[in-house]
Amino acid sequence: MLKIDSYSLGPLQTNAYLLTNEETGKAIIIDPGMNPGALIKKIENLEIEAILLTHAHFDHMGGVDEIRKLKGCPVYLHDLESDWLTSPKLNGSLMWSQVSQPLSTDPAEYDLAGGQQLDLIGHQFACYHTPGHSPGSVSFLCGDHLFSGDVLFKLGVGRTDLHGGRERDLFDSIHNTLFTFKDEVKVYPGHGPRTTIGYERSNNPYV
Ligand SMILES: [Zn+2]
Ligand SMILES: [Zn+2]
């Protein structure tokens, strides 16, 4: 059984997702954001197999340094953002100085690309390249669970005015990738509540 817990972390209330295989006690974390104390408490007795990043904005990678050092787990990030973890300018923490220190950590251990299949904690995770909010944004599909980062929200979409963002790419990603999934697919976004592909297809005013 795959257990999915979410934690709203940091000043931008970024969703970190902890996915645990309850039989084995192995887990992965998607987007460990800033001030990850509550999450760190929860993973004390878990083996963390990987940290997956939907993209490298500071509010999604703010907890990477602490958790990676604590657990010795590798980080996966799309190669178009391979130099963002080391750069407060690229990851946005420099610009958002009112809510963040300049953040940096070592580069990711593994590059992601669209079309890749990851075999983690006994489950398959398909990686889809879904740029627009940022150039290396990806979404992860595991069974009927879609982790969409800052691409698609409940009744919203990601902003495209940050470094490397592009509005046309964002809408292409939503229409040509995310909206090819079944209505029943559950969406776990980077901010705000969960939704489904079907609900967004029918109700999202932006798409
Ligand atoms: Zn973002
Ligand atoms: Zn975000």
Side-chain angles (χ1 to χ4, degrees):
M1 265 294 281
L2 183 68
K3 185 165 176 273
I4 302 175
D5 296 305
S6 63
Y7 298 82
S8 173
L9 301 180
L12 303 186
Q13 296 182 301
T14 307
N15 291 327
Y17 294 102
L18 174 65
L19 281 60
T20 311
N21 180 327
E22 294 194 283
E23 279 89 61
T24 62
K26 293 187 179 181
I28 63 166
I29 298 169
I30 299 176
D31 290 354
M34 303 164 70
N35 313 336
L39 174 60
I40 285 176
K41 217 168 173 179
K42 188 70 190 281
I43 62 177
E44 216 173 5
N45 297 314
L46 296 175
E47 181 185 332
I48 304 298
E49 224 172 81
I51 294 173
L52 306 186
L53 295 176
T54 61
H55 64 301
H57 279 150
F58 71 100
D59 59 312
H60 296 251
M61 56 66 82
V64 164
D65 200 55
E66 199 174 344
I67 294 172
R68 175 162 49 180
K69 282 176 181 150
L70 192 69
K71 293 292 188 176
C73 52
V75 176
Y76 291 70
L77 173 66
H78 194 279
D79 68 352
L80 285 173
E81 295 178 15
S82 58
D83 49 356
W84 287 34
L85 293 182
T86 57
S87 165
K89 183 165 185 266
L90 290 170
N91 66 43
S93 54
L94 203 60
M95 189 181 107
W96 292 71
S97 57
Q98 69 280 23
V99 295
S100 177
Q101 310 275 15
L103 292 176
S104 66
T105 181
D106 294 335
E109 279 75 13
Y110 296 107
D111 285 342
L112 288 171
Q116 207 171 336
Q117 289 276 349
L118 303 172
D119 189 357
L120 297 166
I121 61 168
H123 292 272
Q124 292 290 319
F125 293 82
C127 175
Y128 293 87
H129 185 211
T130 48
H133 170 68
S134 72
S137 279
V138 296
S139 301
F140 300 105
L141 185 69
C142 177
D144 271 353
H145 307 289
L146 178 75
F147 299 88
S148 64
D150 287 356
V151 177
L152 181 66
F153 301 121
K154 183 171 189 182
L155 300 177
V157 296
R159 57 192 286 179
T160 54
D161 59 335
L162 301 172
H163 178 78
R166 194 161 181 260
E167 191 177 71
R168 196 194 306 164
D169 289 348
L170 182 85
F171 288 109
D172 281 351
S173 293
I174 293 171
H175 286 288
N176 302 336
T177 303
L178 301 188
F179 279 4
T180 64
F181 301 139
K182 288 180 302 185
D183 282 350
E184 303 74 55
V185 168
K186 298 176 196 69
V187 179
Y188 299 75
H191 301 267
R194 297 173 191 185
T195 181
T196 65
I197 289 294
Y199 184 83
E200 297 312 311
R201 212 194 306 275
S202 309
N203 298 293
N204 192 308
Y206 298 95
V207 296

